[in-house]
Amino acid sequence: MLYSYFLMNVNGQQKYAAQRKRIFHLFPKVNELFAFIEQGGTYFGHQQKRLLAEVEYAIYLMPKDKSELQKTYDINKQKQLYIQGLIQLVADEVANNEGIEPQRKSSQIKRLNKIVDDINLLITDNFLLRRVQNFPSNYYEYY
């Protein structure tokens, strides 16, 4: 929390409030998705507390003005592929999870796909797409 507080002061508390809010909604959704896939665990609760720092670091990495934006093209196809990948991950993980009762698998997939839909709505630009693609690879490993 201290890290996020000091970095927020460096980034500008009011200046990036809108971006901070969007990222603050995005990262917990990703954490929630992976927590449900893994059927919980203390790691995800601890990760929830670290998200403030992750949000501030994402703001720190964000281009600070329009002239710094190098990639302004349409991201819809890339975003669609990312979301399709999450949907496939959900389907595969639920189908192959023997800890979920067969009659609950369909409702579990619906619940997880709702989270994926929320993630889809929160991704509005190339920067957010890159951050959300990078975030899980740093914290959630699958073999």
Side-chain angles (χ1 to χ4, degrees):
M1 289 175 61
L2 285 174
Y3 176 85
S4 64
Y5 172 77
F6 288 118
L7 193 53
M8 185 186 329
N9 288 333
V10 170
N11 290 334
Q13 187 170 5
Q14 296 302 319
K15 188 173 182 181
Y16 299 105
Q19 294 90 340
R20 184 176 290 112
K21 184 177 178 180
R22 182 167 294 276
I23 298 168
F24 186 73
H25 289 297
L26 185 58
F27 285 0
K29 285 292 179 187
V30 173
N31 191 54
E32 182 182 9
L33 177 70
F34 284 92
F36 277 124
I37 287 173
E38 288 297 312
Q39 297 180 322
T42 59
Y43 175 79
F44 301 100
H46 292 289
Q47 184 66 5
Q48 189 70 28
K49 294 179 182 194
R50 294 182 191 110
L51 292 178
L52 289 173
E54 289 297 325
V55 169
E56 284 308 316
Y57 185 64
I59 296 292
Y60 176 78
L61 294 174
M62 185 178 71
K64 302 303 184 239
D65 65 41
K66 298 282 186 207
S67 66
E68 293 179 9
L69 293 175
Q70 296 176 359
K71 298 182 181 188
T72 57
Y73 52 79
D74 183 29
I75 62 158
N76 285 329
K77 185 64 176 174
Q78 291 181 48
K79 180 178 162 182
Q80 180 184 12
L81 291 170
Y82 174 70
I83 296 300
Q84 286 173 345
L86 288 179
I87 291 169
Q88 187 63 53
L89 176 68
V90 164
D92 292 347
E93 290 294 324
V94 172
N96 294 300
N97 189 331
E98 294 175 9
I100 301 173
E101 299 168 8
Q103 62 272 20
R104 287 191 50 232
K105 288 190 180 200
S106 177
S107 64
Q108 185 75 353
I109 288 175
K110 287 179 186 176
R111 185 178 195 181
L112 293 171
N113 282 339
K114 169 66 174 110
I115 297 169
V116 172
D117 289 343
D118 292 343
I119 292 169
N120 184 34
L121 292 173
L122 288 167
I123 300 171
T124 57
D125 58 34
N126 192 36
F127 176 76
L128 290 172
L129 178 61
R130 297 295 168 247
R131 292 296 95 214
V132 78
Q133 287 173 323
N134 188 51
F135 179 69
S137 64
N138 287 336
Y139 298 103
Y140 312 108
E141 293 185 25
Y142 286 91
Y143 300 100

